[in-house]
Each structure stands twice: as structure tokens, then as C-alpha cells.
Amino acid sequence: MHRRLLELIENGNYNEARQMLLDLNVVDIAQLLEEIKGEKLVVVFRLLPKELVADIFSYMPQEQKQYLIETITDQEVTRIMEDLFLDDTVDMLEELPANMVKKILKNTDDDRRRLINRFLQYPENSAGSIMTIEYVDLKEEMSVAQALAYIRRTGVDKETINNCYVMDKNRKLVGIVSLRRLILAGEATPIRNVMEKKIVHIDTSMDQEEIAHLFRKYDLTTMPVVDKEKRLVGIITIDDIVDIIEQENTEDFQKMAAMEPSDEAYLKTSSFVLARHRIVWLLVLMVSATLTGSIIRSFEEVLQSVVILAAFIPRLMDTGGNAGSQSATLVIRGLALEEIRLKDAFKVMGKELRVSLLVGAALSSINFLLIHFLEGTDIRIAFTVAVSLFLTVVLAKVLGGALPIIAKKLRLDPAIMAGPLITTVVDAVALLAFFSLSKAILGL
Amino acid sequence: MHRRLLELIENGNYNEARQMLLDLNVVDIAQLLEEIKGEKLVVVFRLLPKELVADIFSYMPQEQKQYLIETITDQEVTRIMEDLFLDDTVDMLEELPANMVKKILKNTDDDRRRLINRFLQYPENSAGSIMTIEYVDLKEEMSVAQALAYIRRTGVDKETINNCYVMDKNRKLVGIVSLRRLILAGEATPIRNVMEKKIVHIDTSMDQEEIAHLFRKYDLTTMPVVDKEKRLVGIITIDDIVDIIEQENTEDFQKMAAMEPSDEAYLKTSSFVLARHRIVWLLVLMVSATLTGSIIRSFEEVLQSVVILAAFIPRLMDTGGNAGSQSATLVIRGLALEEIRLKDAFKVMGKELRVSLLVGAALSSINFLLIHFLEGTDIRIAFTVAVSLFLTVVLAKVLGGALPIIAKKLRLDPAIMAGPLITTVVDAVALLAFFSLSKAILGL
């Protein structure tokens, strides 16, 4: 059907295409429009029913939004801007070039322009920057019937009416009442008596990661944002939170793989930008690896007499790195989900120590058997490798458990203490132990 | 306040404690109860207002649920089971020991028991296992007024009434109408005219990861689950989806760090279980690293004559591993978020090739300068290292980009093609290149 629709558009069968488009969900329409380029896009865009245009527009990729705003008339821009929710407008403006922001603001009425400007000033990723002001505000002295009448009158333009916010005379937030509760309550009941007074609220500066955590903790679908006087200034809705959770996870994945985080989609980022995000950490880690190199250099004469020792370097380095990554990943993840707190530091290290003793003992025994019996290497060398491997695993896991917590304590992001960094540290110690032991045990 | 409350409970000041508890959100009450052990827990639990008990219970950790069910009377169990939503009940039962499941089912009425048993049969992580049946069902011939009256009569026990589901005579799902739409519509309007007919629905066997993706794509807060005849069998709500998204991310983090995934919280998992989840992959990767070792072994005579070459092994291995991890992580993440599709395979590899040429060129030049001028090593060795490093980075990134896509194509989880596995593969090739080049360039 997708292909058929594109064909109809390609051949200029717009009427038939329009009929098919109308059967689609707005998200699917936006996705389909992605494949239409240039003037055809404007033609198809103008075919869409007026009441869906803003909604479809909000799901389009930034480049297409930009192209459309450049191309369509001022009246059309005004119409879209009037129908877009404020948070979607602000999101879009943040990424548009200045001349286009001007074109949009020129076509926006004064009140809304003032609001947009205020929103653009909130720091990125703060509650202020992701909230919307299209909420339903009730007064505590209203009755349920009055509230419902008020909602019927004003609710059409609100992003959600499932939760309504109750204010006192000074516009201070005093309660929340769900539409569900209003429907189920008697018409004469005062709002004051049906509203929920235990409110989870946040202020405009709270970071989105923390907000997402509160949504998850309290199973919320909306959350009010208040100013310092506890006056309601906006609400945040769960659909934005779901995207934020994925965005925060993507950032953690990137940091843990030693990259600078970026929220642009991979295929839409240029090779040059991708290279820039990756090279800094690679360079830092490469230079750190010269330390490990110089440890090997300092044992040159040991290696000279038993050159076969070099064959065990990869095994020690890889196993150390992997063992450390495992621990660091679990702890970083636990910290991110707040399943592990700072006060658990000793518990975590104790656990990692026990796990590392189990894992280290198993790996090093298997390794000993492999090296001595299967590969037929000298028993003293097999023993040295096994002991070094054991020490490496223990060190890697304890460091892997401790470093993310220390980072958090120092108010750094625990995610940077992941595999790559721990691997580099563990490598140096592992090889130092291995060559010192070899020297002693082989009597060199 | 938290501490004060615990003190009150410790000292048996239950009345005062109860007053303070009532001011808390149910989630916070459940969190506080976590710190109360043994009989005191039962005492405090019995203090809670009847209408909140089931809700608080649903937020308690599994061990405490288990302890309470063992300890409280059958009547109390019945009461909680009546008030719990079906999806929460099923979640809990799935993790309880058999004798306790028996105690619960014994105290559940026949209808509900039959339902629970049906739910327990859906495969884990399928739509069937996470859906709930507490939804509002309307008939298409109702008027808005009739629908609202029906909701008022039956809505109290529903998990959500924000979206209501419209059925035809054969109980086939024909539309969804939001409470918002009902409130804003005229009372005499037939439901048929206000309902949304473009429905995103899923069947009972769909995997939760895919469901979460649909929720994100269409900005949904609830989604209907239907059987093969398109009859409505349940709904899924966004609060469960948020948890599923984090759970799926945790699994990816674990797989990418070469562990068997587990959804138990770190601190609640025993060291023995943690060790078991980690050792298999460590072992596999350690044994693979012997391949790299045997490559070094086969160049024993090269190493024997220029033992200093060993000092560059860590640099090559670490940089190759890190470069590969970066690419693999971005591609795995892109696949998980469906920003990258299978058909993009060549685009991804082209991009990785370009990025790796940039990054490789930069790193190997810097490395050449460092080794030759700063460390004062023979220019031929510096050259060999630089060229090997360049080849390593290019190989690592192209493999890092390709392997996750190949895994996906083979219907394996792309997340297993992450850093650890790629590092092991790249190590072998990197060292092979390094020693072959050294042999040729140094004329050994």
C-alpha cells in the first residue's frame, strides 16, 4: 500500500492518493512524506485535511519542516503555528536557522510569540524546555459540574485533559484531579473534595533524566512544573518522557563505548562529525596504552629470554578488559536506574570481590589446564599465567565495581568509567603482575 | 521525615506513624516499608487504610510480598487479590513459589481464577503476559450520554478509562474513543461517530520490545490487544511500557558487555548467580584469545630478534577494540531504535569506512610522531606500527558496523556483536598484520 501510494503521487493521481492518505495514522503519513522530495512534497502537503496538518507536521523530520517553512506561504505557516502545541513549536525552533525562526515568529501572534521566547530561554533538557502550557486549570472552589462545563468549553486545545490542575486564588497549585475522578464523582461535589493533594511536582530547572526517573517511580502520565512560589507554569506528558528515556540510554551507550554523546540519528550524522565524536577518547586511550607498552619495554630482558611469554598478553588483556566491563556495566546501569545508591559502595565492592574470586578461580584453573596439558607449555609458565589471570580478574572486577561509584561521588557521569577506561587501567597492572611473576618464578 | 517515621514504628507509636503514612504517596509508602522487617511489617501493613492496601502491595518488592502472603490471613489475601489489577496479580504469581500460588488461588473467586490461569499461559514478555483486562468496553450503537452513564457505573475498577474500546455485536474491536472526546462531544451523538477507527492494535503473541517500539512511534498511552478474530482481549498501558523500555535497555547493556541478561536488580542477585551469568562469555572469549596468542607464537623468531615489538601489542589491541566498540555500539543502538534498518547495511558500511579512514589516518600519524620522535624508536618500527594501527582501525570499524547488521539478518540479537566479540576478532587480525608487516619491513 505504501508503494502504491508513492506511485499515485509520482503519477500525479492526487485525488486517489488523498483518499488513501486519509486512512492512515498521522505518524504513518509523516513517515510516508519522508520519501517525497521537493515540490511534490508541497503539493501533497497541501492536499492534507486542514485539521491534521499541524499534527502531521510535528512528526516530520527537521529537514522537511525546514523545507516546507521556506516554501509555503506566510498564511500557511501561521495556520500550522496556531495548531501546533507549544512544546513542539519550541523543539522545532531550537533547531531551525535564525532566518526561519524569524519567518515563524513574524507569523505568530504577540501573546504566543512572548511565550515562545520565554520557553526558548530555559536551559536545554530542563523541565522548562520540555513542558507544555496547554493544560486544564481548575479553581478549588468549583463544583464538579462547573469543572466539566469549563473543560468542555476550553479542553479542545489542551494537550491532555486526563489530568486537570487545581489552583488557589494566588495561582498556587493545590491539587490534581483526573478526568476519570470528575466523571465518577457527583456533580455537586466541590473540586476541593475530589482532588488529590499529594502531588509529585518539579521545578523548571530539574534535569530531564531525573524527571524521567520520577515518572517511572510513581507511574505517572503527566507531571506539573511549578515556579519558586509553587505556581503552576506547565506540565510534562509521558509521550515526551518515553523519548527522553531512550535518548538518555543512547547517551549512556555512547559514553560507555568511549564516544562523545550526540542525540542525532546515526544515518543523519556526517562522517566528519562521527569521526570527531570518536577520536578524542580513542586518542586519550591510545596514549594511555603507551604506559602498558613501557611496562613491557621495562621487562625486555625477561621477554628476550622467554619470548613465548608474549603469546599470553592477548589472553590476559582481553579477559581483564571483559571482566572489568561486565562489572562496570552492571554498576553503571544500577546507578542509572537508582537500584544502586552511593551508600551501597561497600556492598557493591564486597559483591564484586566474591564474584571475582569465583570467576577468577574458574577461569585460571581452566587456563592452567589448557596451557599445560593441551598446548604443552612449561608448567611454570602455565602457573604464572594462571596466577596473573586470577589477579587480573579480581582487580578488573573490583575496579569495575568501584570506579563508577567514585565517579558518581565526584559528580561525574558514571558512564565514562566503562569498559574502555577500565581496560586500559587493568592492562597495565595485569602485565606488570605477569612479568614480575614470570621473572620471579622462572628465576630470570 | 523518613527517619522519624521509622523511629515511630520502631518504638511502637503506631497511631502517629499511621497519620504520617497517610500523607505519603503509595509508592513512597511501599519504599518505606522495605526497611521494616518481620512481624513489624505485618503490624504496619495492617494499619494501612483498606483502600490503599492493594495499591501499596503492588509496589512492594517480591520478597516482602511473599512474606506477607505467608503471614497474613486468608481473608486478608482475598481482599488484596480482589483489589489488585489482573496484570499485577499475574506478574506477582509468575515469581512466587508454587505453594504460595496455591494459597492465593484458593482465596480467589472462580471467575478470576480462571482468568489468572489463562494469563499465566501466555509466553513471558508477550503482549498476553503484560496486558490487563480492566478496560472499558462500549458498544458502537450507544450514544455519548449512554456511554458516560455506563462508564460512571463500571469505571471505578478499570485500570484506565481515558481510552474506551468500542465493540460491534461480535465483540470485534471497531474503534477507540477517548474520555476526552466523549466529554467534548454532544450527548446525543452516537459513539460510532466520535470513535477513532484507525486503530493501532497488536495480537497476544507480539514481543514486548516491539510493543514498546509501537508505543514510541505512535505516542500512545494505551494499546488494545486482539485475538485472531480481532476480538478485544486486553489492553496494555504506558506505565508498564516505561518499565519494559528500561528492562530491554538493561538487557542490551548486559549482552553488549558479554553477560547473560537478567532482569533481577544487581544488589538482590547472589554472587553465585552473578558469577554464572558472567563466566560463559568470559570463557568463550578467553579461549578465542588463544588464537591471537598462537599468532604471536608463530612469529616467535621475529619477536626474538626485535623483542621491542611486544611493547606495541597493547596499543594495537586497545585501539582496535575501542574503535570497533564505538562503531558496533552506534549500529546496535540504531538497530534497536529502528533508526537503522537492514536495507541500510551498505550505507552503514560506507559511513564506517569513511569514518575509519579519517580516524585511522589521524591516530596513526600521531602515533608515528610519538613513537619515532618522542620515544626515539627506529623509524621503520614506527612506520610499521602506524600502518598496522591504520589497518586495525579500518578493520575494527567496518566489522563493528557490519557484524550487528549481519546478526540481525540472521535473526540473532545484534547486541551480542558488541565490543568484546569484535575486540577478540580484531585482535587476531591486527597482530597478524603487525607481525607480517614487521617481518617484511624489518627484513627478518
Side-chain angles (χ1 to χ4, degrees), chain A residues 22-25 27-28 31 59 151-152 155-156 158-162 179-180 183-184 198 200 216-219 238-239 242-243 245-246 249-250 252-254 256-259 265-267 269 271 274-275 278-279 282-283 285-286 289-290 292-293 296-297 300 303-304 307-308 310-312 314-315 317-319 322-323 326-327 329-330 333 337 339-340 344 348 351-352 354-355 358-359 362-363 366-367 375 377 389 397 420 423 427, chain B residues 22-25 27-28 31 59 151-152 155-156 158-162 179-180 183-184 198 200 216-219 238-239 242-243 245-246 249-250 252-254 256-259 265-267 269 271 274-275 278-279 282-283 285-286 289-290 292-293 296-297 300 303-304 307-308 310-312 314-315 317-319 322-323 326-327 329-330 333 337 339-340 344 348 351-352 354-355 358-359 362-363 366-367 375 377 389 397 420 423 427:
Chain A
L22 289 182
D23 285 337
L24 294 178
N25 182 300
V27 179
D28 292 321
Q31 203 170 56
Y59 283 105
I151 294 170
R152 285 207 178 87
V156 182
K158 307 305 181 187
E159 184 150 344
T160 176
I161 64 172
N162 292 338
L179 186 55
R180 170 198 187 121
I183 293 292
L184 298 177
K198 298 176 217 162
V200 182
R216 243 168 46 81
K217 178 172 173 191
Y218 294 104
D219 278 349
I238 183 98
D239 54 320
V242 169
D243 293 334
I245 288 177
E246 289 292 21
N249 277 310
T250 299
D252 276 357
F253 276 110
Q254 290 170 333
M256 289 171 71
M259 279 174 281
Y266 174 84
L267 287 175
T269 315
S271 305
L274 284 174
R278 299 185 192 179
I279 202 157
L282 283 182
L283 204 57
L285 294 170
M286 187 185 81
T290 57
T292 319
I296 298 184
R297 231 180 248 260
E300 203 176 331
L303 208 49
Q304 188 78 61
V307 93
I308 204 75
F312 300 106
R315 204 175 317 203
M317 283 178 59
D318 280 345
T319 309
N322 293 332
Q326 291 181 331
S327 308
T329 299
L330 285 182
R333 190 66 188 151
L337 296 179
E339 287 171 1
I340 297 176
D344 299 319
V348 170
K351 210 176 250 295
E352 284 306 316
R354 286 193 299 279
V355 174
L358 287 168
V359 172
L363 287 183
I366 294 170
N367 211 34
E375 301 175 14
T377 310
L389 193 76
K397 289 211 163 287
T423 301
D427 281 354
Chain B
L22 289 183
D23 285 338
L24 294 178
N25 182 300
V27 179
D28 292 320
Q31 202 169 56
Y59 284 106
I151 293 171
R152 285 207 179 87
V156 182
K158 307 305 183 188
E159 185 151 342
T160 177
I161 64 172
N162 292 338
L179 187 55
R180 170 198 188 122
I183 293 293
L184 299 176
K198 298 177 214 161
V200 181
R216 243 168 45 81
K217 178 171 173 190
Y218 294 105
D219 278 349
I238 183 99
D239 54 320
V242 170
D243 293 334
I245 289 177
E246 288 293 21
N249 277 309
T250 299
D252 275 357
F253 276 110
Q254 290 169 334
M256 288 171 71
M259 278 174 281
Y266 174 84
L267 287 175
T269 314
S271 305
L274 283 174
R278 299 184 193 180
I279 202 158
L282 284 182
L283 203 58
L285 294 170
M286 187 185 81
T290 58
T292 319
I296 298 184
R297 232 181 248 258
E300 204 176 329
L303 208 49
Q304 188 78 60
V307 92
I308 204 76
F312 301 105
R315 204 174 317 201
M317 283 178 59
D318 280 345
T319 308
N322 293 332
Q326 291 180 330
S327 309
T329 299
L330 285 182
R333 190 67 186 149
L337 296 180
E339 288 171 0
I340 298 176
D344 299 318
V348 169
K351 209 176 251 295
E352 284 306 314
R354 287 192 298 277
V355 173
L358 287 169
V359 171
L363 286 182
I366 294 170
N367 210 34
E375 301 174 14
T377 310
L389 192 76
K397 289 210 163 290
T423 302
D427 280 354

Side-chain angles (χ1 to χ4, degrees), chain A residues 213-226:
Chain A
H213 182 72
L214 289 176
F215 264 91
R216 243 168 46 81
K217 178 172 173 191
Y218 294 104
D219 278 349
L220 303 170
T221 53
T222 63
M223 188 153 26
V225 183
V226 298

